Amino acid sequence: MAAGKGEGAGGDAGTGLSAGLETAWGLRERPSKGPRPGLSLDRIVDTGIRIAAAEGIDAVSMGRVAKELGVSTMSLYRYVSAKDDLYVLMQDAAAGAPPPRPASAAGWRAGLEWWAREQRAVFRRNLWLLRIPISSPPASPGSLEWMERGLEVLDGSGLDDGRKISVMMLVGGYVRNEVSLMADLDAAMRAQGVAPDEVMRRYARTVDALTSADPGRFPGVRRLLGAGVLDVPDADDAEFEFGLGRVLDGVAVLVEGRG
Amino acid sequence: MAAGKGEGAGGDAGTGLSAGLETAWGLRERPSKGPRPGLSLDRIVDTGIRIAAAEGIDAVSMGRVAKELGVSTMSLYRYVSAKDDLYVLMQDAAAGAPPPRPASAAGWRAGLEWWAREQRAVFRRNLWLLRIPISSPPASPGSLEWMERGLEVLDGSGLDDGRKISVMMLVGGYVRNEVSLMADLDAAMRAQGVAPDEVMRRYARTVDALTSADPGRFPGVRRLLGAGVLDVPDADDAEFEFGLGRVLDGVAVLVEGRG
DNA sequence: ACGGTAGTGCGTATGCCCTACGCAGTAACC
DNA sequence: GGTTACTGCGTAGGGCATACGCACTACCGT
């Protein structure tokens, strides 16, 4: 773990950021002294993302990335101060900046829906994102743009800034959590090498075996088993939209002041 | 990673569970043949929990647990099939079974509030719990009891079973996510060795340094900085209760059928 | 033109980590 | 008393991140 020192080799401005992140913010120009670098941050980060997308975040090791690039492991440390740094850079590159808000997403509710769905899309395109341990609050260009966009969307809600942040954390957290479950299922699938619904079916069978010995202890769970509710893998979008609808209903109560 | 085989050395029933979990369910009696074990699952799991509580989940390695117990690393594998197995066992032992529901928590809303707060309390007592990668759906006795209790609480809501599960995932996810942020803050604190509010203050300073160069790009964020909203570390309970209230408001809309 | 120097790639080495395998010892059963 | 199932654990193999230092390169100032 550990965000490490975080400042490393003398940050330019007093940002307290790692070398890699300052580069991402464009705060570092290449010093025109030594030999021209044979590698670039972008190539490293892209390679990391490619590996993560194909084989999961655990497959991304410094050695592996280096091998993929045909360089030695230690070369990477000229560009990245530590593995965590690479992770943050990958995260930012993959998440990128939010797309422009379409005209259809007017008003706070439609706006939040757009914001949530767009974030979900990013996560779903890069399930490994959620497996990266968060080591510090969002300080990358992309993250801040997302935050900015969220604030913008809530402008018409009449909520004060503190409330806006709270609502954004609520909605953002919901999205994150929903996709997280999906990522976990994905990981289980990879590990066992079976299809998603097969994972759920096995799970239902396991729970059945465990609770059948003492049914009185788990009446509700056994009812679920009988109805086959546990077999189905959430039907994806429907489940997400259901939860999002509930959350936004709750926000609506707040906005409309009928709390 | 990887839930691995999961069945290992011939599961008793067709549960498909690891050896350790079957022991937790009481499905395995000690075979009365060889020398008496000098160790016990409980001692191993307790030691793991103690280390995790004191130094975070990353400090829990097989070697470390063994050293703490004064045995060799490999001895542990007689009791636990893999490190992931130990993690699951630790999770179950720490979460335990839900306490009995008090009379004050009558009705679905008060019931869900109780359920959510109780789960949060468990997570807060064991912040490392959230750092454990979930490798499979909940199949431990404790997890199923929590699920059972959630179903029970929603009995008076008039929702069907599918909806109940959805609502439970929504609320449970909310709790999980909220405490997760706290755990991340805790980890950052540990890593940098500073107090929580100092972490936030540094963060605010970083964001300020980054966005001050081009203020027009981040008007909302800069407004937050000016108001000092980013300095404060969420005021704990208030933030949690706010989000929970919103979520339950949303559920209420569903239950009362004014969707 | 030419040394100084900062920046480069990378080999080596340290110290962790998980866990497969197999051996020697032990205690109950037949 | 032998069989057998089970115990603890030593050894070893294959990862991993990264500190350190060496050889080399290309620009800068003179």
Side-chain angles (χ1 to χ4, degrees):
Chain A
M1 232 41 15
K5 290 292 143 47
E7 29 206 348
D12 261 9
T15 61
L17 291 182
S18 69
L21 259 183
E22 290 210 332
T23 310
W25 275 98
L27 296 177
R28 243 171 227 273
E29 63 280 16
R30 196 177 93 65
S32 58
K33 248 329 185 31
R36 201 153 290 115
L39 229 50
S40 75
L41 243 188
D42 280 344
R43 289 223 300 145
I44 295 173
V45 172
D46 284 352
T47 303
I49 288 178
R50 192 150 27 80
I51 296 174
E55 302 170 46
I57 192 67
D58 285 339
V60 180
S61 68
M62 298 305 272
R64 177 64 192 283
V65 171
K67 188 184 293 180
E68 210 87 1
L69 284 165
V71 301
S72 90
T73 304
M74 289 313 291
S75 304
L76 303 185
Y77 284 91
R78 290 285 178 206
Y79 300 83
V80 159
S81 65
K83 200 185 153 196
D84 283 342
D85 201 17
L86 172 59
Y87 277 172
V88 173
L89 260 23
M90 285 171 57
Q91 203 159 29
D92 193 49
R101 175 154 61 129
S104 61
W108 70 263
R109 179 152 187 158
L112 272 185
E113 277 173 2
W114 164 80
W115 191 70
R117 292 193 188 118
E118 214 61 55
Q119 272 187 287
R120 178 169 183 253
V122 168
F123 284 135
R124 283 173 61 104
R125 271 198 301 277
N126 309 280
L127 283 182
W128 51 271
L129 272 180
L130 294 155
R131 291 281 183 176
I132 294 182
I134 298 178
S135 55
S136 59
S140 60
S143 302
L144 286 186
E145 296 245 33
W146 279 103
M147 190 188 298
E148 186 65 37
R149 217 51 64 91
L151 288 169
E152 195 181 299
V153 150
L154 282 171
D155 263 347
S157 68
L159 298 176
D160 66 49
D161 280 341
R163 284 294 191 234
K164 277 185 196 162
I165 289 278
S166 295
V167 168
M168 285 165 55
M169 294 211 314
L170 178 62
V171 174
Y174 170 69
V175 172
R176 213 186 147 75
N177 190 71
E178 200 268 350
V179 193
S180 230
L181 294 181
M182 173 151 304
D184 288 338
L185 196 71
D186 179 72
M189 206 191 73
R190 267 179 218 277
Q192 300 177 29
V194 294
D197 53 339
E198 176 60 18
V199 172
M200 289 311 289
R201 218 164 318 129
R202 279 191 200 186
Y203 174 56
R205 217 176 319 132
T206 298
V207 173
D208 180 49
L210 292 176
T211 58
S212 62
D214 183 4
R217 188 175 163 200
F218 300 102
V221 171
R222 294 215 53 84
R223 190 160 19 96
L224 292 182
L225 281 171
V229 178
L230 291 189
D231 299 324
V232 206
D234 319 323
D236 262 26
D237 289 350
E239 186 72 23
F240 171 75
E241 291 293 336
F242 168 79
L244 180 60
R246 261 7 81 219
V247 171
L248 294 187
D249 277 354
V251 175
V253 173
L254 178 73
V255 170
E256 292 157 19
R258 36 176 174 98
Chain B
M1 228 38 21
K5 289 295 142 48
E7 27 205 349
D12 262 8
T15 60
L17 291 182
S18 68
L21 260 183
E22 290 211 331
T23 309
W25 274 98
L27 296 178
R28 243 172 227 274
E29 64 280 15
R30 194 178 93 68
S32 59
K33 241 345 183 15
R36 201 153 290 115
L39 228 49
S40 74
L41 244 188
D42 281 345
R43 290 222 300 146
I44 295 174
V45 172
D46 283 353
T47 304
I49 290 178
R50 192 150 27 80
I51 296 173
E55 302 170 46
I57 193 66
D58 286 338
V60 180
S61 69
M62 298 304 272
R64 175 65 192 283
V65 172
K67 190 184 292 180
E68 211 87 0
L69 285 165
V71 301
S72 89
T73 304
M74 290 313 292
S75 303
L76 302 185
Y77 284 90
R78 291 284 176 205
Y79 301 82
V80 159
S81 65
K83 199 186 156 194
D84 282 341
D85 201 17
L86 172 59
Y87 277 172
V88 173
L89 260 23
M90 284 171 57
Q91 203 159 29
D92 194 48
R101 175 154 62 129
S104 61
W108 70 265
R109 179 151 189 160
L112 272 186
E113 277 172 3
W114 164 79
W115 192 69
R117 291 191 188 121
E118 214 61 56
Q119 272 187 288
R120 178 168 184 252
V122 168
F123 284 134
R124 283 172 61 106
R125 271 198 301 276
N126 309 281
L127 283 182
W128 51 270
L129 272 180
L130 293 158
R131 290 282 184 178
I132 294 183
I134 298 179
S135 55
S136 60
S140 60
S143 303
L144 286 185
E145 296 244 34
W146 278 102
M147 189 188 297
E148 185 65 37
R149 216 53 64 92
L151 288 169
E152 194 180 298
V153 150
L154 281 170
D155 262 346
S157 68
L159 299 175
D160 66 48
D161 280 340
R163 284 296 191 232
K164 277 184 197 163
I165 290 278
S166 295
V167 168
M168 284 165 55
M169 295 211 313
L170 178 62
V171 175
Y174 169 69
V175 172
R176 213 186 147 76
N177 191 71
E178 199 267 350
V179 193
S180 229
L181 294 180
M182 173 151 302
D184 288 336
L185 196 72
D186 179 72
M189 205 191 75
R190 267 178 220 277
Q192 299 177 29
V194 294
D197 53 339
E198 175 60 18
V199 172
M200 290 310 289
R201 219 166 315 130
R202 279 189 202 186
Y203 175 58
R205 217 177 317 134
T206 298
V207 173
D208 180 50
L210 293 175
T211 58
S212 62
D214 183 5
R217 190 175 162 199
F218 301 103
V221 171
R222 295 215 52 84
R223 191 159 18 96
L224 291 183
L225 280 172
V229 178
L230 291 188
D231 299 327
V232 206
D234 316 325
D236 262 26
D237 289 350
E239 187 70 22
F240 172 76
E241 291 294 336
F242 168 79
L244 180 59
R246 263 5 83 217
V247 170
L248 293 186
D249 278 353
V251 174
V253 173
L254 177 74
V255 169
E256 291 157 20
R258 37 178 174 96

